[in-house]
Amino acid sequence: MWHLLDIKIAEFSVFIRTGILTDFFLFVTSLADGVGVIFFLALVIFSFFLIGRYRAGLSIFFGTALAWCTQFLIKIMIVRPRPNFSALVEANGYSFPSGHALVSATLFGLVAYYLICRFKSFRQRLVIIAMALILPFLVGISRIYLGVHWTTDVLVGWALGLVVWGFTIWLFTAQKLK
């Protein structure tokens, strides 16, 4: 059943391709590429350290590193090939789970968590939550649209991202690490 879902959604993503959508999704996927993540992560950590939020900065670094390691280890254990038709970008390695989905869910989720703790306005918190949901969602969709991941790769990437996110928050806040 899952394989049929993967095939149908992959076929649909090829059917709806346009130049504008392709440009948009190429940009979105770049937000969770190695360079994009490293740049954003460095900017966030620097910003948090600048305002004295060392634990938050360390937590975001740790969670993102854990997300990357998690996707890497699962990929070499599962060894699922990537879709083999109509890819718009080159992707190396295995398909399952989507590292872009996992890392973006963890990274943007952790940043949102610590920003929400900082802002008290309901409206500001709502904007932060919306961005933390929309960005990883678009990153995951971009990977399917660009033909380098199956839908189930992305769904599991998001789910694992939530697990890593929750574990990181638990580790750094509930445990009061110094």
Side-chain angles (χ1 to χ4, degrees):
M1 176 179 111
W2 291 108
H3 184 65
L4 182 59
L5 173 74
D6 282 337
I7 296 291
K8 292 296 181 191
I9 292 177
E11 289 172 348
F12 178 72
S13 73
V14 171
F15 176 74
I16 65 166
R17 286 182 180 164
T18 65
I20 292 171
L21 268 180
T22 299
D23 290 342
F24 174 73
F25 283 126
L26 285 169
F27 169 74
V28 168
T29 207
S30 73
L31 298 174
D33 280 345
V35 172
V37 167
I38 290 169
F39 176 77
F40 183 71
L41 187 58
L43 183 67
V44 165
I45 291 170
F46 176 75
S47 299
F48 276 101
F49 276 30
L50 201 60
I51 61 172
R53 301 286 312 262
Y54 306 110
R55 185 187 313 244
L58 231 97
S59 170
I60 293 166
F61 175 78
F62 173 83
T64 304
L66 181 60
W68 187 88
C69 291
T70 300
Q71 64 88 26
F72 178 77
L73 289 173
I74 293 173
K75 281 178 189 275
I76 61 175
M77 289 181 345
I78 303 294
V79 189
R80 182 180 194 189
R82 291 184 182 273
N84 59 359
F85 62 92
S86 301
L88 296 177
V89 294
E90 188 175 322
N92 299 315
Y94 299 113
S95 186
F96 184 88
S98 167
H100 280 70
L102 197 162
V103 170
S104 67
T106 304
L107 174 58
F108 297 134
L110 287 170
V111 171
Y113 173 79
Y114 289 109
L115 287 177
I116 285 170
C117 292
R118 201 127 169 91
F119 292 98
K120 302 301 176 207
S121 158
F122 175 76
R123 180 182 232 165
Q124 291 170 324
R125 287 178 169 192
L126 193 59
V127 169
I128 293 166
I129 290 169
M131 294 303 293
L133 293 173
I134 291 168
L135 287 172
F137 175 77
L138 289 175
V139 166
I141 297 301
S142 76
R143 303 306 286 168
I144 298 165
Y145 177 89
L146 296 171
V148 292
H149 277 292
W150 300 106
T151 301
T152 49
D153 301 338
V154 170
L155 292 173
V156 171
W158 286 330
L160 288 170
L162 286 174
V163 170
V164 172
W165 173 82
F167 174 74
T168 303
I169 290 171
W170 171 80
L171 185 64
F172 278 82
T173 58
Q175 299 306 305
K176 300 292 183 202
L177 292 178
K178 297 287 179 194

